[in-house]
Amino acid sequence: MPSEGRCWETLQALRSSEKGRLCYHRDWLLRGEDVLEECMSLPKLSSYSGWVVDHVLPHTQENPPSSETSASSRSASALDQPSCVPGSPVRTPACSPSSSATPDGPEGKHESRHTEPMVLQSSRGIQVEGCIRMYELVHRMRGTEGLRQWQEEQERKVRALSEMACEQLKRFDERKELQHHKELRDFREVMEKSSREALGHQEKLKAEHRHRAKILNLKLREAEQQRLKQAEQERLRKEEGQTRLRSLYALQEEVLHLNQQLDASEAQPHGDLLKLDPAALRTRGNQLCGLVSGIIRATSENGFPTAEDQAVAERALQEMRDLLTSLQQEITRACEDKRRRDEAAAREKRQESKMQQGPEVPREAPAPSQGPGGKQNEDLQVKVQDSTMQWYQQLQDASSQCVLAFEELTNSKDSQVKKIKMDLQKAATIPVSQISTIAGSKLKEIFDKIHSLLSGKPVQCGGHSVSVTLNPQGLDFVQYKLAEKFVKQGEEEVASHHEAAFPIAVVASGIWELHPRVGDLILAHLHRKCPYSVPFYPAFKEGMALEDYQRMLGYQVKDSKVEQQDNFLKRMSGMIRLYAAIIQLRWPYGSRQEIHPHGLNHGWRWLAQILNMEPLSDVTATLLFDFLEVCGNALMKQYQVQFWKVILLIKEDYFPRIEAITSSGQMGSFIRLKQFLEKCLQRKEIPVPKGFLTSSFWRS
């Protein structure tokens, strides 16, 4: 519409005026209150009011509603462009009007004529002026709002900067404090390191000092041990030398005694019948006596005799024994020859006298019974020798007295006494049950424990201390139970494991040597359970019950039932093996100067006595085999030629007797003994028994 175009042109003219071209800057708000007063002063009519009335209002009167609508829309669009609307009647050079707003023609002349204030003739001018004022108000409000926002923005920035400065100050303080703590920590670490180094150096010096002191103490201890060892060696050497010297004196005495017997044997009659030269035997005997005397004189001058001197003297004694034995055998043979010649001469004389007296009916004398080889058969003994029987009875009496000695302890009803009895029995029997072939050190611990118990020292048993001094009868009780346990181990353990005989026997031998009463009790228990170890064959007495007699023979009788023969032989074998091991073994840590309390001479006596007794079926062959298998090697080394003579005697004379009384179902033990002896005679050696304790065992 035309009115709308003219309104737009009016606004463009206002925009192009000097006031409309004024530039508004935000910096003006900072000038102070004078600027704000201009904005807040009372509104006044612009100097352009007249021009607007002349040019704009005439066009708007034709169509007021539409023009008013257009003017309001144009004024609204003009409000959106504040930089082109004049804000003041004062003209500013910085914002010059355009060509349309310059009064070049009649319009300019007309404007210059209307410089004074004018009174508006219509409401349209008031509306325009209101729009202008509204535009200015809006512009001021926008400026105020922008100023407020700018102030708030600046305050926010100031607060942010202040907070950032505070945070930076805090960070600076924290870094400074951290640096301070770090320096302090580094200083402390340096001090601690220095302190540790100083302590380490001090500890090192202390360790070196302790090490040097330890070395010095070790050297001093070694020197003291060396001194004690040398002193002990010297003492042992002197004791051994004195023992050897006493042995040499005993050997010299025996050699002289044998020499006297040799001289006495030569003085017997029938010397002309001897095949040996008595003078040569006497000369050799004198030489042997001189040899032994020379050894003793030399040792008395040089100190103590050596083992070689003792060996030479023993060989001289053995040779002297052989000379005497040879001479006695030759004398016996000569006497037998003389007796036969005398008998032959007597028979010839009787025949001659009978022939002279006349013929008579001769009486034939009973001829002696001849054996299968043409030799006279002499009857063997059935009973044991009287001396052996007395020894057996003495041991049984000693065992009975020992039982009576601790009878009060066993029959006591007091609970405390019963507890002591049980503890003592455990302390005596448990170590014996622990004997094995594991190691020599373990065996020594067991021996020391038993020896300490018998010596009255307290030992640990069941977690508490036990001693024989807890009861006056404790020692008798422990000795009896200990001996009983040793024999029971032979009866059970050795019977099942033959190698177990040697560790048990060596401990028993060592205890026997230090505590002889225990050894006597061991023999008493052994003889009671195995009478063949005496050897002793109990006789059946009139009125004796059969069960009692079987118990005397060694059988176990329970509920009127006698044990089987195999089990009986097994138990007897175990006990004989234990006995054969005891007589040849000695405790390796004991005194070598003392002789064995029950040595090989008792084994030689047992072998001789059992061969002088009639054999028993199945028993004698079993016991001989077990005894010779365990102890034969030791007897061979000890008795040499005499031992082999006994073996030949067993083979030639004793085997036929055993075979004669052995039934066909009991030949196993006899065949085993026969094969063993034949093999030994073939090899000319008795083998070392299986399980024998060697020197390496004691080093384990």
Side-chain angles (χ1 to χ4, degrees):
M1 296 179 65
S3 61
E4 291 179 359
R6 284 195 292 272
C7 288
W8 178 253
E9 292 177 357
T10 302
L11 292 175
Q12 288 292 335
L14 288 174
R15 183 178 181 184
S16 303
S17 63
E18 294 180 356
K19 190 174 182 179
R21 290 194 299 269
L22 291 175
C23 296
Y24 295 92
H25 300 282
R26 294 180 180 179
D27 298 338
W28 294 357
L29 298 175
L30 301 176
R31 293 180 183 178
E33 297 180 355
D34 54 343
V35 177
L36 296 175
E37 286 180 358
E38 291 183 4
C39 297
M40 298 176 64
S41 62
L42 295 175
K44 296 180 181 180
L45 291 176
S46 174
S47 58
Y48 297 99
S49 305
W51 183 85
V52 172
V53 173
D54 293 339
H55 294 78
V56 176
L57 291 179
H59 297 284
T60 60
Q61 289 177 358
E62 296 178 1
N63 194 2
S66 61
S67 62
E68 290 178 2
T69 305
S70 175
S72 62
S73 61
R74 298 291 180 89
S75 62
S77 62
L79 288 175
D80 297 333
Q81 300 176 1
S83 60
C84 298
V85 178
S88 162
V90 183
R91 297 185 179 271
T92 304
C95 189
S96 60
S98 60
S99 60
S100 62
T102 303
D104 291 337
E107 296 178 356
K109 293 179 182 180
H110 180 76
E111 183 180 359
S112 63
R113 286 196 299 269
H114 296 285
T115 57
E116 296 179 359
M118 298 175 61
V119 180
L120 297 175
Q121 299 296 324
S122 65
S123 60
R124 179 63 181 170
I126 296 173
Q127 291 177 358
V128 172
E129 188 65 26
C131 291
I132 294 171
R133 296 298 180 182
M134 187 178 295
Y135 177 81
E136 291 178 352
L137 178 61
V138 171
H139 185 72
R140 281 197 301 270
M141 291 175 64
R142 288 182 178 179
T144 303
E145 182 66 22
L147 178 61
R148 186 181 61 78
Q149 292 179 358
W150 182 83
Q151 286 178 346
E152 290 178 357
E153 183 70 21
Q154 294 300 317
E155 289 176 359
R156 284 197 300 273
K157 290 182 178 180
V158 169
R159 284 195 301 272
L161 289 173
S162 177
E163 291 176 358
M164 183 167 49
C166 291
E167 292 296 329
Q168 289 180 354
L169 182 59
K170 289 181 181 179
R171 300 292 86 76
F172 176 76
D173 292 339
E174 290 175 356
R175 284 195 298 272
K176 190 173 181 180
E177 186 177 359
L178 180 62
Q179 185 177 4
H180 176 70
H181 285 302
K182 185 177 180 182
E183 291 177 354
L184 182 60
R185 187 174 64 253
D186 294 341
F187 178 73
R188 287 179 180 174
E189 289 179 355
V190 171
M191 293 299 294
E192 290 177 357
K193 184 177 180 181
S194 301
S195 177
R196 285 196 300 270
E197 290 179 354
L199 290 175
H201 185 64
Q202 186 178 3
E203 291 296 330
K204 185 177 180 181
L205 292 177
K206 288 182 180 179
E208 290 180 357
H209 177 70
R210 287 195 297 269
H211 182 65
R212 292 177 181 176
K214 185 177 180 180
I215 291 175
L216 290 176
N217 291 333
L218 287 175
K219 290 182 178 179
L220 290 174
R221 192 156 50 245
E222 288 177 358
E224 182 65 18
Q225 291 177 355
Q226 187 69 20
R227 186 186 65 80
L228 293 176
K229 184 178 180 180
Q230 291 178 355
E232 182 67 16
Q233 289 177 352
E234 183 66 21
R235 185 185 65 81
L236 292 176
R237 189 184 66 83
K238 289 182 179 180
E239 291 181 357
E240 187 176 0
Q242 291 175 357
T243 303
R244 288 175 180 170
L245 187 59
R246 288 194 296 270
S247 177
L248 281 179
Y249 284 134
L251 290 174
Q252 184 184 26
E253 183 179 0
E254 187 174 357
V255 168
L256 292 175
H257 179 68
L258 292 176
N259 192 32
Q260 290 177 358
Q261 291 182 0
L262 190 63
D263 294 339
S265 298
E266 292 176 1
Q268 292 181 0
H270 317 300
D272 54 341
L273 299 177
L274 299 178
K275 296 181 179 180
L276 298 176
D277 186 5
L281 295 177
R282 185 172 58 253
T283 302
R284 183 54 184 167
N286 293 332
Q287 290 177 354
L288 294 175
C289 291
L291 176 62
V292 175
S293 300
I295 292 174
I296 293 177
R297 284 195 301 271
T299 53
S300 61
E301 295 175 358
N302 300 331
F304 296 105
T306 61
E308 296 179 357
D309 296 336
Q310 188 174 5
V312 172
E314 289 176 353
R315 286 197 296 269
L317 176 61
Q318 186 63 35
E319 186 176 354
M320 180 65 77
R321 288 173 180 170
D322 294 340
L323 290 177
L324 183 60
T325 302
S326 300
L327 181 59
Q328 289 176 350
Q329 290 176 354
E330 186 64 24
I331 291 174
T332 302
R333 185 195 60 76
C335 291
E336 185 68 21
D337 293 342
K338 176 64 175 174
R339 184 181 60 79
R340 286 197 296 268
R341 283 197 294 268
D342 291 343
E343 289 177 355
R347 283 195 300 270
E348 290 178 357
K349 288 181 180 179
R350 284 195 300 271
Q351 290 177 0
E352 289 178 357
S353 62
K354 288 178 181 180
M355 291 175 65
Q356 292 176 0
Q357 292 176 0
E360 290 183 2
V361 179
R363 292 185 189 177
E364 294 184 0
S369 61
Q370 299 292 326
K375 295 182 179 179
Q376 184 176 352
N377 231 345
E378 298 179 358
D379 292 334
L380 297 179
Q381 301 175 0
V382 177
K383 296 183 179 180
V384 71
Q385 295 179 1
D386 293 338
S387 59
T388 304
M389 198 62 195
Q390 291 176 1
W391 173 59
Y392 165 79
Q393 194 60 45
Q394 289 175 0
L395 292 174
Q396 298 304 317
D397 293 342
S399 177
S400 301
Q401 291 175 3
C402 183
V403 173
L404 292 175
F406 61 83
E407 185 177 9
E408 183 179 350
L409 176 62
T410 56
N411 297 332
S412 176
K413 303 298 182 180
D414 188 3
S415 59
Q416 186 66 25
V417 176
K418 288 182 178 180
K419 184 177 183 302
I420 292 174
K421 183 188 73 171
M422 292 301 298
D423 291 341
L424 290 175
Q425 184 170 351
K426 290 179 181 179
T429 57
I430 290 177
V432 180
S433 302
Q434 295 173 345
I435 296 175
S436 64
T437 57
I438 296 176
S441 57
K442 181 67 176 178
L443 213 59
K444 189 175 186 301
E445 291 179 6
I446 296 173
F447 177 86
D448 293 339
K449 189 173 183 179
I450 298 174
H451 175 55
S452 299
L453 179 65
L454 294 173
S455 301
K457 299 178 182 178
V459 297
Q460 292 295 321
C461 181
H464 56 277
S465 180
V466 180
S467 174
V468 295
T469 57
L470 296 176
N471 190 282
Q473 303 169 2
L475 181 59
D476 295 328
F477 179 75
V478 167
Q479 288 176 342
Y480 185 87
K481 290 298 179 181
L482 181 64
E484 185 181 41
K485 184 62 177 178
F486 273 121
V487 177
K488 191 174 182 180
Q489 285 294 98
E491 183 182 11
E492 297 176 355
E493 182 67 21
V494 179
S496 301
H497 306 91
H498 294 169
E499 296 83 357
F502 298 99
I504 298 173
V506 74
V507 175
S509 176
I511 296 297
W512 193 336
E513 186 174 344
L514 296 176
H515 306 276
R517 192 184 183 193
V518 177
D520 294 341
L521 293 173
I522 289 175
L523 286 176
H525 283 288
L526 184 65
H527 292 168
R528 190 181 306 118
K529 288 191 173 185
C530 179
Y532 312 104
S533 61
V534 178
F536 169 50
Y537 299 160
F540 184 79
K541 298 179 181 179
E542 186 177 357
M544 180 184 294
L546 181 59
E547 294 180 1
D548 295 337
Y549 178 64
Q550 288 172 336
R551 288 191 182 94
M552 289 181 63
L553 292 175
Y555 289 91
Q556 289 182 347
V557 181
K558 295 181 181 179
D559 299 331
S560 300
K561 294 182 180 180
V562 184
E563 66 177 330
Q564 297 294 328
Q565 183 71 8
D566 293 342
N567 189 52
F568 166 74
L569 292 176
K570 183 179 179 180
R571 291 191 303 106
M572 298 299 110
S573 173
M575 287 184 280
I576 285 295
R577 283 179 175 273
L578 178 62
Y579 179 70
I582 288 176
I583 63 177
Q584 65 174 313
L585 292 177
R586 295 194 63 184
W587 182 244
Y589 301 102
S591 176
R592 288 295 178 182
Q593 284 73 28
E594 301 294 334
I595 60 174
H596 196 294
H598 196 79
L600 285 172
N601 56 327
H602 290 273
W604 184 259
R605 176 196 59 79
W606 181 88
L607 183 60
Q609 288 189 1
I610 202 170
L611 293 178
N612 285 327
M613 300 175 69
E614 286 290 344
L616 296 179
S617 175
D618 209 16
V619 175
T620 303
T622 300
L623 298 183
L624 276 177
F625 171 76
D626 293 325
F627 183 83
L628 292 175
E629 187 180 41
V630 175
C631 194
N633 182 267
L635 290 174
M636 177 193 69
K637 293 179 179 178
Q638 178 73 18
Y639 295 99
Q640 299 177 0
V641 177
Q642 301 298 327
F643 174 76
W644 290 112
K645 290 180 179 179
V646 171
I647 297 299
L648 289 173
L649 175 67
I650 295 173
K651 179 184 177 183
E652 295 176 358
D653 294 344
Y654 209 67
F655 272 176
R657 292 178 179 272
I658 298 176
E659 189 174 7
I661 63 169
T662 304
S663 62
S664 59
Q666 298 175 337
M667 292 297 290
S669 57
F670 170 73
I671 293 174
R672 184 169 64 249
L673 173 63
K674 185 176 181 180
Q675 291 177 351
F676 174 75
L677 292 185
E678 287 177 352
K679 187 182 294 184
C680 293
L681 288 170
Q682 183 180 359
R683 296 179 180 179
K684 297 181 181 180
E685 182 183 12
I686 304 292
V688 177
K690 185 179 180 181
F692 189 79
L693 303 180
T694 60
S695 58
S696 60
F697 171 79
W698 299 105
R699 292 194 295 269
S700 59

